Amino acid sequence: MGRLAAASLAGTAIEFFDFFVYGTAAALVLGPLFFPTFSPLAGTLAAFGTFAVGFLSRPLGSVLFGHAGDRHGRRPVLFASLLLTGCATVAVGFVPTYETLGIAAPVLLLVLRFLQGLGLGGEWGGAVLLTAEHAPEGKRALWASFPQIGPAVGFLLANGVMLALTAGLSDAAFRSWGWRVPFWAAGLLAAAGLLLRSSLAETPRFEELAASGRRAKAPLTEVVRGHWRLVLLTAGALAVGYAVFYTVSTWALAYGTERLGVPGTVMLTCVMAAVAIKGAVTPFAAMLGDRFGRRTMCLTGCAASALWMFPMVALLYTGRPLLMFLGFLGSMLAFITMFSVVAAYLPELYEPRVRCTGAAVGYNLAGVLGGALTPIVATALAEGGSGPPWGVAAYLTVVALASLGCFALLPETLPARAVVPEPEAAPA
C-alpha cells in the first residue's frame, strides 16, 4: 500500500503541477502577454477564461478515461492521462505571445489548456481507484487520501518555482521568458511519473470484474441511466471545495497584487503556507473519516466553509501577510475536511463496474460548477467597490449552502461497502 500510495500521490502531484502553474501564470502574466489590446481588467478576465477551459474539458476527460478504466483497467488510465497532460503543458511553454503570433496565440493557449483538462479529468479517477480498491476496508479513507495530497504538492511545486523566478528575475525577464520555465520543467516531471508508474499492478476489484465477465459494455450509458441523480448530487456537493480552493489560489492572488498592491511574492508565500498545512493535515482528516464517516466530515467541512467566507474576505482586504495567511488557512482547513475523504467516498457510492466513470464524472463536473467560473465571477464582483469585496464572500457562502444541501441528500458509506445500491441502478 505504501508503494501504491506513493505512486498515486506522485502522479497527481505532477498533473496538478501542470494544471496549477497555468493558473498562477494566468493570474500574473498571461493577460498582458496574450490579450494586450484589452484593458487590465478585461485582460485578467480573458486569461481566467482560458484557465476555465481546462475545467470545462475535465468532465469529457473523465468520460473518455473513465470508459477506459471501467473497460480495460485502472492502470492504463494512469499512463495515458499523465502523458497527455505533460505534453500539453510543455507545449504551453513554447507558444509565442500575441505580439509575435497575433490572435493565433490565445487560440493555441485555449487548445492546450483544453488538452490539459482532458488529461487531468482522467487522472483523478485512475489514481484514486488504484489506492481505494487495494486498501483494507477499515483504512480506505486514509490510503485513498494520498492522491488528494498530490494537488497540494503540485501547487507548492508550481508556485515555488514561480516564486523563485519572480524573486530572482527582473520583471522584464520574467515576462519575457521566466514564466515559461515551469511549463518546460513539466516534461521532466511527466517522464519521472511515467517511470514510477511502470511497475504498478491492476486493482483486485477490476481483475475480479474482468474474470467474471461483468465489465460494463457502455459505462457512461449505465451511469446516466442508473446513477444520474447521484452524479448531480456529488457534483453539487463538491462544487464548494473547488470554489474555495480556486478563490484562494487564483483569484486572491490576482486581487491582492492588482487591487491591494501587495507584492506577488508576498501573496504567493501566504497562499503556499496555507496549502502546505492543508496537505500535511490531509491524512489525519482522512483517518477521522474512517472513524466517524465520510458524509459527516463532508457536512462539517461544508458548514465551516459557509461560516468562514466573510472572515476570509475581511482578512484578505487588510493586505497584511499574517492576517491574509490566517484567512487562507481557515479556508484550506475547511476545504480539506471535505476533500480528504471524497477519494474514498465517491468510489463507495458507485458499483464497481461503473465506478471509474461515475466517480470521475461527478468529481470533475464539480470542477466546472465551482472551479471554472469562480475566478471570473469573483473578479467581476470585486470590480468597482471601494471596500472589502463582500460580493465575493456572499457568492461563496451561497455556493457552500447549496453544496451543504447536496451532501445532506447523499448516504453515508461507513462502514465502507463495496456498493451503495440505488433504486434505478442498471442490472449487472
Side-chain angles (χ1 to χ4, degrees), residues 69-261:
D70 285 324
R71 287 291 302 155
H72 307 292
R74 317 327 188 187
R75 187 173 178 269
V77 170
L78 297 175
F79 288 92
S81 62
L82 183 56
L83 183 62
L84 176 59
T85 307
C87 290
T89 305
V90 172
V92 170
F94 290 99
V95 176
T97 62
Y98 184 93
E99 183 180 1
T100 303
L101 210 57
I103 192 63
V107 171
L108 280 175
L109 272 188
L110 283 172
V111 172
L112 293 173
R113 181 62 174 174
F114 182 89
L115 294 176
Q116 264 194 333
L118 203 67
L120 192 62
E123 163 68 22
W124 187 84
V128 162
L129 291 186
L130 180 72
T131 51
E133 292 188 341
H134 275 98
E137 188 171 296
K139 295 183 178 181
R140 185 173 295 145
L142 171 62
W143 287 113
S145 72
F146 281 87
Q148 297 297 82
I149 301 174
V153 176
F155 181 86
L156 293 173
L157 284 174
N159 288 278
V161 173
M162 282 291 192
L163 182 61
L165 290 168
T166 54
L169 296 175
S170 66
D171 184 65
F174 180 74
R175 289 175 178 271
S176 174
W177 59 268
W179 68 272
R180 299 179 183 273
V181 173
F183 292 93
W184 297 334
L188 297 176
L189 293 176
L194 291 171
L195 181 63
L196 184 62
R197 288 181 167 183
S198 62
S199 61
L200 297 180
E202 186 54 77
T203 70
R205 183 51 55 90
F206 180 80
E207 289 180 341
E208 292 173 10
L209 288 172
S212 62
R214 292 188 296 113
R215 287 177 294 177
K217 293 183 179 179
L220 180 62
T221 301
E222 289 194 23
V223 168
V224 171
R225 288 179 179 175
H227 303 281
W228 63 268
R229 180 175 177 271
L230 183 57
V231 170
L232 294 179
L233 283 177
T234 52
L238 298 178
V240 62
Y242 281 96
V244 169
F245 187 88
Y246 287 100
T247 294
V248 171
S249 65
T250 303
W251 171 77
L253 184 61
Y255 181 82
T257 54
E258 295 173 6
R259 291 290 301 278
L260 303 179

Side-chain angles (χ1 to χ4, degrees), residues 1-415:
M1 284 308 307
R3 184 169 58 86
L4 289 169
S8 61
L9 189 159
T12 53
I14 292 165
E15 293 227 25
F16 276 93
F17 168 88
D18 298 349
F19 204 71
F20 287 142
V21 78
Y22 190 102
T24 305
L28 296 178
V29 297
L30 294 188
L33 291 179
F34 287 88
F35 304 95
T37 60
F38 291 15
S39 68
L41 172 62
T44 300
L45 287 171
F48 281 152
T50 63
F51 175 75
V53 167
F55 285 98
L56 297 177
S57 61
R58 282 174 65 168
L60 179 58
S62 65
V63 170
L64 295 176
F65 288 103
H67 178 89
D70 285 324
R71 287 291 302 155
H72 307 292
R74 317 327 188 187
R75 187 173 178 269
V77 170
L78 297 175
F79 288 92
S81 62
L82 183 56
L83 183 62
L84 176 59
T85 307
C87 290
T89 305
V90 172
V92 170
F94 290 99
V95 176
T97 62
Y98 184 93
E99 183 180 1
T100 303
L101 210 57
I103 192 63
V107 171
L108 280 175
L109 272 188
L110 283 172
V111 172
L112 293 173
R113 181 62 174 174
F114 182 89
L115 294 176
Q116 264 194 333
L118 203 67
L120 192 62
E123 163 68 22
W124 187 84
V128 162
L129 291 186
L130 180 72
T131 51
E133 292 188 341
H134 275 98
E137 188 171 296
K139 295 183 178 181
R140 185 173 295 145
L142 171 62
W143 287 113
S145 72
F146 281 87
Q148 297 297 82
I149 301 174
V153 176
F155 181 86
L156 293 173
L157 284 174
N159 288 278
V161 173
M162 282 291 192
L163 182 61
L165 290 168
T166 54
L169 296 175
S170 66
D171 184 65
F174 180 74
R175 289 175 178 271
S176 174
W177 59 268
W179 68 272
R180 299 179 183 273
V181 173
F183 292 93
W184 297 334
L188 297 176
L189 293 176
L194 291 171
L195 181 63
L196 184 62
R197 288 181 167 183
S198 62
S199 61
L200 297 180
E202 186 54 77
T203 70
R205 183 51 55 90
F206 180 80
E207 289 180 341
E208 292 173 10
L209 288 172
S212 62
R214 292 188 296 113
R215 287 177 294 177
K217 293 183 179 179
L220 180 62
T221 301
E222 289 194 23
V223 168
V224 171
R225 288 179 179 175
H227 303 281
W228 63 268
R229 180 175 177 271
L230 183 57
V231 170
L232 294 179
L233 283 177
T234 52
L238 298 178
V240 62
Y242 281 96
V244 169
F245 187 88
Y246 287 100
T247 294
V248 171
S249 65
T250 303
W251 171 77
L253 184 61
Y255 181 82
T257 54
E258 295 173 6
R259 291 290 301 278
L260 303 179
V262 180
T265 53
V266 174
M267 290 301 303
L268 280 173
T269 301
C270 292
V271 174
M272 288 172 62
V275 172
I277 295 174
K278 182 212 77 157
V281 166
T282 300
F284 300 100
M287 286 191 284
L288 295 177
D290 276 324
R291 181 171 182 180
F292 298 109
R294 287 65 155 128
R295 181 173 175 269
T296 300
M297 296 294 291
C298 290
L299 289 171
T300 301
C302 202
S305 297
L307 294 172
W308 187 247
M309 292 302 96
F310 277 91
M312 188 272 288
V313 166
L315 292 168
L316 167 64
Y317 188 71
T318 66
R320 298 179 180 177
L322 179 59
L323 295 181
M324 290 192 298
F325 161 71
L326 291 175
F328 298 155
L329 179 61
S331 300
M332 289 295 96
L333 292 178
F335 163 84
I336 205 57
T337 302
M338 295 177 281
F339 271 57
S340 64
V341 298
V342 297
Y345 192 25
L346 263 64
E348 290 169 353
L349 289 169
Y350 292 89
E351 55 182 315
R353 57 189 276 117
V354 296
R355 179 173 286 165
C356 195
T357 299
V361 169
Y363 186 86
N364 287 294
L365 277 178
V368 176
L369 297 175
L373 297 178
T374 292
I376 298 172
V377 172
T379 300
L381 289 173
E383 179 62 20
S386 56
W390 298 126
V392 177
Y395 167 74
L396 293 171
T397 302
V398 170
V399 173
L401 292 175
S403 292
L404 188 66
C406 292
F407 274 126
L409 295 174
L410 289 171
E412 178 59 79
T413 59
L414 189 75

